[in-house]
Amino acid sequence: MQSLKIKTVLRILTMAFAIVPMLIVGIVGYFATTGFAVDSVGQLARAVGTAQQETINQYLNGYISDVVYLSLDPSVLNGRNVDTGKVGIYADSVIKRKLSFEDSIPVYNDNIDDSILNIVITDTKGEILYEYEEVSGTGMNFFGFSELETITANTVVVSNIYCGDTGTGEDGYDGKYPVFFVAKGIPDLASDSGEAIGVVIEVIDTAQISAILKNTKYGSDNSGYLAVTDGKGCVLNYEGADYKKISEITDQSMKDEVLLSTKKSAQKDQHIEYNVGSKIGNYDYFTGSTSQSWKWVSVYPASFAGSQIM
């Protein structure tokens, strides 16, 4: 009987010594595989984010060219008088389709750039001297002028994204869909002081940017996507929504550690990687025309990361 017990114990110990190394190998292999998968996703995400940032920047550069051109026309602003005829003709040429600023929903069109909603000229305090669509009316203040208070004659500004959709006038904007604006200081051509005598502004909806983002997917199962945020109030294409207020996002980790994060990479072309909650990816601030606050955010479900190595 004693011999049988000893044999049983030996068998158990032999099995344990055989199984434990297998378990260790399996656990190490799992974490190594998972780490490889996460790294693989990260590489894809970096490539997608960098490429689409350049696509969006090219798109924005067209609007920057518009406001630079108008700002340098000496007949556009003389004192507080705007050459409405000349500005109107130019506006007709760049606004391919007139939209009701309040009621229409912009629709992306591959062949027509219908994103420009308004062209506005203000004085240096934000008072509207001219607007093509007559949304606010002359004498009123432009809704986003707090971003332009220190503008100079040589400054171009790409604004934050204004979500709207509340009718509450939050941030001074009470439209029903998101917009941003591109602005340029108007120089005093009779002086080289560098001070602005006014500001020319194009108000632009986000439909084209949303379309670019919606057509950007990555990963073997196309579960990865790209979002764009101003890091303050609004994010485009988060979880497939055209736009969403950051304050309405329920994933607190994603909100605090990624979308609202002000962390920047220490070196150029190095992006911030994240692994929060159920999402992994990376993000970085736009370079070039949108270097003020916009950033792209790649998002991939952490649970699907392993599919990248299959």
Side-chain angles (χ1 to χ4, degrees), residues 87-100:
V87 177
I89 291 171
Y90 184 78
D92 281 334
S93 72
V94 297
I95 300 180
K96 304 297 193 306
R97 183 188 70 181
K98 293 183 179 180
L99 292 175
S100 167

Side-chain angles (χ1 to χ4, degrees), residues 7-307:
K7 288 181 180 180
T8 302
V9 170
L10 288 174
R11 284 196 188 98
I12 292 171
L13 288 173
T14 302
M15 292 177 63
F17 283 124
I19 293 171
V20 168
M22 292 174 62
L23 287 174
I24 293 173
V25 169
I27 292 169
V28 171
Y30 169 78
F31 283 108
T33 300
T34 303
F36 179 80
V38 170
D39 185 62
S40 176
V41 169
Q43 291 180 28
L44 279 171
R46 285 193 293 273
V48 168
T50 301
Q52 292 302 60
Q53 170 196 266
E54 293 306 312
T55 300
I56 294 170
N57 266 344
Q58 289 178 18
Y59 164 75
L60 294 172
N61 284 339
Y63 301 121
I64 291 172
S65 297
D66 289 344
V67 294
V68 169
Y69 174 84
L70 271 176
S71 74
L72 296 176
D73 187 332
S75 65
V76 165
L77 184 62
N78 182 10
R80 292 179 61 82
N81 298 316
V82 177
D83 187 336
T84 58
K86 178 170 284 190
V87 177
I89 291 171
Y90 184 78
D92 281 334
S93 72
V94 297
I95 300 180
K96 304 297 193 306
R97 183 188 70 181
K98 293 183 179 180
L99 292 175
S100 167
F101 196 71
E102 293 294 331
D103 299 324
S104 295
I105 299 176
V107 177
Y108 177 71
N109 187 313
D110 286 308
N111 302 312
I112 300 176
D113 179 4
D114 54 11
S115 293
I116 302 173
L117 300 178
N118 208 355
I119 292 180
V120 181
I121 294 175
T122 74
D123 65 12
T124 56
K125 295 182 179 180
E127 183 179 326
I128 295 173
L129 305 177
Y130 167 89
E131 58 176 346
Y132 183 76
E133 285 291 342
E134 297 184 357
V135 178
S136 302
T138 56
M140 300 292 288
N141 272 30
F142 181 69
F143 67 84
F145 199 78
S146 60
E147 295 191 59
L148 304 175
E149 290 176 341
T150 60
I151 197 167
T152 69
N154 300 314
T155 305
V156 173
V157 172
V158 178
S159 76
N160 296 324
I161 301 169
Y162 293 77
C163 261
D165 201 31
T166 62
T168 61
E170 183 176 342
D171 294 326
Y173 174 64
D174 59 0
K176 296 181 179 178
Y177 48 84
V179 300
F180 65 98
F181 59 84
V182 176
K184 166 71 168 62
I186 301 174
D188 182 355
L189 297 179
S191 168
D192 58 358
S193 66
E195 294 183 0
I197 60 172
V199 185
V200 58
I201 304 164
E202 277 189 356
V203 181
I204 305 152
D205 73 57
T206 60
Q208 298 243 22
I209 295 177
S210 292
I212 293 170
L213 298 175
K214 284 183 180 297
N215 289 325
T216 304
K217 296 183 182 300
Y218 64 93
S220 59
D221 52 8
N222 285 328
S223 293
Y225 66 90
L226 196 67
V228 165
T229 178
D230 59 9
K232 292 178 170 48
C234 197
V235 58
L236 307 178
N237 199 45
Y238 183 77
E239 296 184 335
D242 286 342
Y243 65 96
K244 185 173 288 190
K245 289 189 174 184
I246 296 177
S247 60
E248 296 174 349
I249 293 174
T250 56
D251 187 333
Q252 197 66 39
S253 296
M254 189 69 183
K255 186 187 328 186
D256 294 340
E257 298 179 38
V258 179
L259 298 176
L260 293 176
S261 171
T262 57
K263 183 179 179 181
K264 293 188 177 182
S265 54
Q267 297 180 12
K268 185 179 180 181
D269 299 328
Q270 286 191 355
H271 313 307
I272 307 297
E273 295 185 351
Y274 70 86
N275 188 341
V276 297
S278 61
K279 298 178 178 67
I280 61 174
N282 44 49
Y283 68 87
D284 202 359
Y285 286 82
F286 275 57
T287 57
S289 56
T290 55
S291 59
Q292 291 188 88
S293 64
W294 287 28
K295 61 185 176 186
W296 56 263
V297 181
S298 64
V299 185
Y300 197 84
S303 59
F304 293 164
S307 66

